[in-house]
Every structure is written in structure tokens, then in C-alpha cells.
Amino acid sequence: MSSMQQSIVKQATAHFKKGDYSRARACYQKAGEVYGTNLFANSIRLCELRMGNPVPKPVSQVSTAAAKPNTSAKPPATTTDTEKQLAETQSLLEHYYTRCQELEYQLLDRK
């Protein structure tokens, strides 16, 4: 990987971390042209999600009749607690995903 190609990925990561998802998406698309779009498809989609493009809701596979109440569990969390936990989980997921990609590119550099 040349330094210019490597800088495309670093630029994309830096733009994403700054919250400039439009520029990050453009850089990921350029990197996809070089390395293959399948490597950057999730990053591009994540940028689009952050820019506010709607995501289709998944169809639930769980039957409500099969769900049993858990009497030993804590009372259900409030909506704000759940939203806060979801936001924290999403943030960590994105951090680890980005880090994983960075490590993958380092491996590509060594080949």
C-alpha cells in the first residue's frame, strides 16, 4: 500500500472521528476503488447512517407467545436508560470496528 493510498484510509478515519461523515464516506469510497468495495461497504453505510439516511427495520423473528416473563430480573429500565446504554454500545462498537479496520490495513501493508 502506498503512502497516498494509506492516507486515504487515515483521512477517512480522521473525518469519521471528527463527525464529518460526508467526507469520510467519500474517502472510504475512494479506498474501496483501490482495495475493493467489500472492505469498505460497512464503513460507507455507517457514514450514511450517521448522516441521517433511514435504515429499514429488521423483521422480528421472536414470537411474543414464546416470550416468558422473568420474575427474578430487575424492573425494566426506563427508556432514557435504555437509549443511553444503546448509544454507549453503538459508540464502542464503532470504535472497535474502526480499530479492527486499522489493524487489517496494517496487515495489508506488510504483505
Side-chain angles (χ1 to χ4, degrees):
M1 183 184 323
S2 74
S3 63
M4 184 183 127
Q5 294 168 340
Q6 185 178 20
S7 68
I8 293 171
V9 176
K10 285 185 177 186
Q11 286 174 10
T13 303
H15 289 308
F16 188 88
K17 287 180 181 178
K18 286 189 267 183
D20 190 353
Y21 305 116
S22 178
R23 284 187 181 171
R25 181 183 62 180
C27 289
Y28 283 129
Q29 287 171 334
K30 285 181 188 177
E33 292 171 6
V34 175
Y35 301 113
T37 55
N38 61 327
L39 293 175
F40 297 95
N42 288 330
S43 297
I44 293 168
R45 185 66 183 134
L46 189 56
C47 290
E48 291 172 349
L49 288 171
R50 288 298 177 100
M51 290 188 309
N53 292 347
V55 178
K57 293 184 180 180
V59 177
S60 176
Q61 299 294 326
V62 179
S63 170
T64 56
K68 296 179 183 177
N70 186 352
T71 57
S72 64
K74 293 189 244 179
T78 63
T79 303
T80 55
D81 290 342
T82 305
E83 290 172 354
K84 183 188 280 186
Q85 184 179 9
L86 181 60
E88 289 173 3
T89 303
Q90 181 69 27
S91 177
L92 284 172
L93 177 64
E94 291 171 9
H95 167 76
Y96 292 128
Y97 178 78
T98 302
R99 183 66 181 132
C100 181
Q101 283 187 320
E102 290 169 354
L103 293 171
E104 185 176 341
Y105 303 137
Q106 288 176 6
L107 286 173
L108 287 173
D109 281 341
R110 293 180 185 166
K111 290 183 180 179

